[in-house]
Amino acid sequence: MASKTSELKGIQWLFPLLAEKNVDYKKEFLAGLVTFLTMAYIIVVNPNILSKTGMDAGALVTATCLGAAVGCFLMGFIANLPFALASGMGLNAFFAFTVVLKGGVSWEVALTAVFVEGIIFILLTMFKVREIVVNSIPTSMKHAVTAGIGIFIAFVGFSGAGLVVANESTKVSMGHFTPTVVIAAIGLFIIGVLDKKGVKGSILYGIVVSSILAWIFSIIDPEAAAKLGISLPKGIFKYESIAPIAGKLDFSVFTDVKGLSSFFVVVCTFLFVDFFDTVGTLIGVCSKANMLDEEGNVPNVGRVLLADAIGTTAGAALGVSTVTTYVESSTGVLAGGRTGWTAITTGVLFLLSMFFSPIFIAIPACATAPALIYVGYLMLSSLKEIDLHDVTDGIPAFITATTMALTYSIGDGLTLGILSYVIINLIYNAVAPKEDRKPVSWVMIALAILFIIKLVLM
């Protein structure tokens, strides 16, 4: 378990990771590797999305890896927690398709909006605004967030395996029984059996075996494999300069009165989505790993949020969209990661991937799907900690857990959950006997008001 920073002094207070003793480095490294493998897809997905704005695709690969590494190092050294960071999915799509392509904003100005968002987050963190919000969320909601993230990442896994596909009539439906489904199923069985037998690194073994099976299939039938998103590594070494996109912030927007209002809306949207995605991820992962303190709060939460904020600012300067804490960190935590060494391991692997990106990019979605599905199953067990018979806790918990997957957004699920919690409990308190009333913090009420304004105006 990470050391309490309040008990440290000097260099150890600044970098609490250095105060860790009796660390199982093998387990921490393995956890970092598992986390990296489950989120390595961002190395290819992020450049693919952001390059549609006209940004250099090769430079984006390097910048994505650098931004992730910086975020992971910050998390490891100053927060001493096993959470990994990288350019956020959803936020990168908003950056490319809504802000740049639809809104007509240049990618340089969009990067500036991300940079400003990061600065604002740093200030909010220093004044403990974000910390107050995280700690004000009720325990039942924290368990609901854990379960919701479990359903969410399991859905991502089923989708990556091809078992769940889009359907215009029913939104989603079951996919065909393709080789990717078989590969993912084999990986899931391996993880489950090995974990039942207490074998360390079961998740990693599942990913490795699934990757090898996928590559064998690609050798046997390259054309069919390619249609399913499977291909062999195209080489081993490759490096691209970040010069075309690094440091390309455009502050001229502040002299354009007409464009300043739309710029403000973009910054606020980045702020809102990133804020609550991060909050949901931190609460969910910590809750499942039994890392919450005796008061049910995230340990070192101020430092965690500061690492996240600085990571976003640094990422924008490097040339990528918002850097945020990844839900895939849960795979590493459940593989045994408990300290910042897990995050640092993941960061080092991102640095190495700048030079070995063809190998990591070739790991298909069906190979990481078993890890996501299994971790989702494990995280769903948090529901048993909620009194579902008490509607004041049960209904908000249900809404939170289900809408995270159904809206494909941790932030949206948390928004709807908090809204329902506040409304239901305020109405109940108005009619219930005094001794049965449940206190609702002013922070939760303020959040609910902000969410209503956001839903109406944005």
Side-chain angles (χ1 to χ4, degrees):
M1 178 65 71
S3 301
K4 292 184 178 180
T5 55
S6 59
E7 301 172 355
L8 304 177
K9 297 180 180 180
I11 190 69
Q12 290 185 347
W13 177 85
L14 187 61
F15 302 116
L17 179 71
L18 302 179
E20 285 293 340
K21 298 178 180 179
N22 302 318
V23 177
D24 188 338
Y25 291 103
K26 181 179 179 181
K27 182 180 288 186
E28 296 290 328
F29 171 78
L30 184 63
L33 178 58
V34 168
T35 298
F36 172 77
L37 290 176
T38 56
M39 61 186 287
Y41 64 86
I42 196 64
I43 299 173
V44 62
V45 174
N46 199 50
N48 180 266
I49 292 175
L50 296 185
S51 62
K52 294 182 179 359
T53 66
M55 302 174 75
D56 184 271
L60 282 167
V61 171
T62 304
T64 298
C65 293
L66 279 174
V70 169
C72 290
F73 290 155
L74 287 167
M75 185 67 73
F77 279 112
I78 71 175
N80 191 24
L81 286 172
F83 305 139
L85 295 86
S87 297
M89 290 294 293
L91 288 165
N92 53 9
F94 175 75
F95 178 103
F97 301 117
T98 303
V99 178
V100 178
L101 297 180
K102 184 179 179 181
V105 175
S106 70
W107 60 264
E108 292 90 346
V109 171
L111 280 178
T112 307
V114 175
F115 183 82
V116 171
E117 174 217 347
I119 297 296
I120 294 174
F121 266 161
I122 291 174
L123 294 174
L124 290 176
T125 303
M126 291 176 66
F127 288 101
K128 297 189 175 182
V129 174
R130 298 177 83 189
E131 186 173 344
I132 291 171
V133 170
V134 174
N135 292 338
S136 70
I137 296 176
T139 301
S140 62
M141 288 293 292
K142 290 176 179 176
H143 290 305
V145 167
T146 302
I149 290 176
I151 298 172
F152 176 83
I153 65 173
F155 180 73
V156 173
F158 285 126
S159 178
L163 188 61
V164 175
V165 297
N167 184 300
E168 289 187 8
S169 300
T170 61
K171 306 304 180 184
V172 294
S173 63
M174 189 170 78
H176 297 295
F177 199 69
T178 62
T180 59
V181 175
V182 176
I183 291 169
I186 292 173
L188 181 60
F189 294 149
I190 289 173
I191 293 173
V193 171
L194 292 181
D195 192 40
K196 177 67 175 177
K197 288 184 171 293
V199 177
K200 295 181 179 179
S202 58
I203 293 176
L204 177 60
Y205 289 134
I207 294 173
V208 171
V209 171
S210 296
S211 296
I212 293 173
L213 290 175
W215 291 337
I216 291 174
F217 172 58
S218 183
I219 293 173
I220 295 173
D221 193 342
E223 186 175 343
K227 291 180 180 179
L228 295 171
I230 300 173
S231 61
L232 292 171
K234 298 177 181 178
I236 298 177
F237 304 102
K238 190 175 183 181
Y239 175 78
E240 301 278 359
S241 170
I242 63 170
I245 60 174
K248 303 296 184 180
L249 304 178
D250 183 1
F251 292 100
S252 64
V253 66
F254 292 105
T255 62
D256 180 9
V257 178
K258 183 178 180 181
L260 199 56
S261 59
S262 59
F263 179 81
F264 176 74
V265 172
V266 171
V267 171
C268 287
T269 304
F270 277 131
L271 271 171
F272 188 90
V273 176
D274 189 20
F275 190 114
F276 290 100
D277 271 4
T278 301
V279 168
T281 299
L282 292 178
I283 292 172
V285 176
C286 281
S287 175
K288 181 57 189 174
N290 294 320
M291 294 176 70
L292 298 176
D293 63 22
E294 55 274 9
E295 296 179 356
N297 297 325
V298 177
N300 298 339
V301 64
R303 289 170 175 260
V304 173
L305 296 172
L306 183 61
D308 186 89
I310 297 175
T312 287
T313 307
L318 289 168
V320 290
S321 55
T322 306
V323 172
T324 188
T325 306
Y326 259 59
V327 67
E328 283 84 355
S329 300
S330 57
T331 60
V333 170
L334 291 173
R338 289 295 181 273
T339 75
W341 289 113
T342 294
I344 290 172
T345 298
T346 303
V348 169
L349 291 171
F350 267 112
L351 285 181
L352 292 176
S353 66
M354 292 191 303
F355 307 97
F356 298 93
S357 58
I359 295 177
F360 298 115
I361 288 173
I363 297 175
C366 63
T368 57
L372 297 174
I373 294 169
Y374 193 72
V375 169
Y377 147 72
L378 294 176
M379 297 185 76
L380 191 62
S381 64
S382 292
L383 283 177
K384 72 178 187 293
E385 305 295 334
I386 304 170
D387 183 5
L388 294 175
H389 298 290
D390 181 353
V391 295
T392 60
D393 279 336
I395 293 178
F398 172 76
I399 291 173
T400 302
T402 54
T403 56
M404 280 189 179
L406 296 177
T407 63
Y408 209 77
S409 169
I410 295 171
D412 287 346
L414 185 59
T415 296
L416 295 173
I418 289 176
L419 262 177
S420 61
Y421 183 92
V422 171
I423 293 172
I424 289 173
N425 278 278
L426 287 180
I427 293 175
Y428 175 77
N429 288 345
V431 298
K434 187 175 181 180
E435 61 273 13
D436 293 337
R437 294 173 186 172
K438 183 177 297 185
V440 181
S441 73
W442 67 267
V443 176
M444 290 286 285
I445 294 173
L447 286 175
I449 294 172
L450 287 175
F451 291 160
I452 293 172
I453 293 173
K454 181 255 184 183
L455 292 173
V456 172
L457 299 181
M458 301 174 71

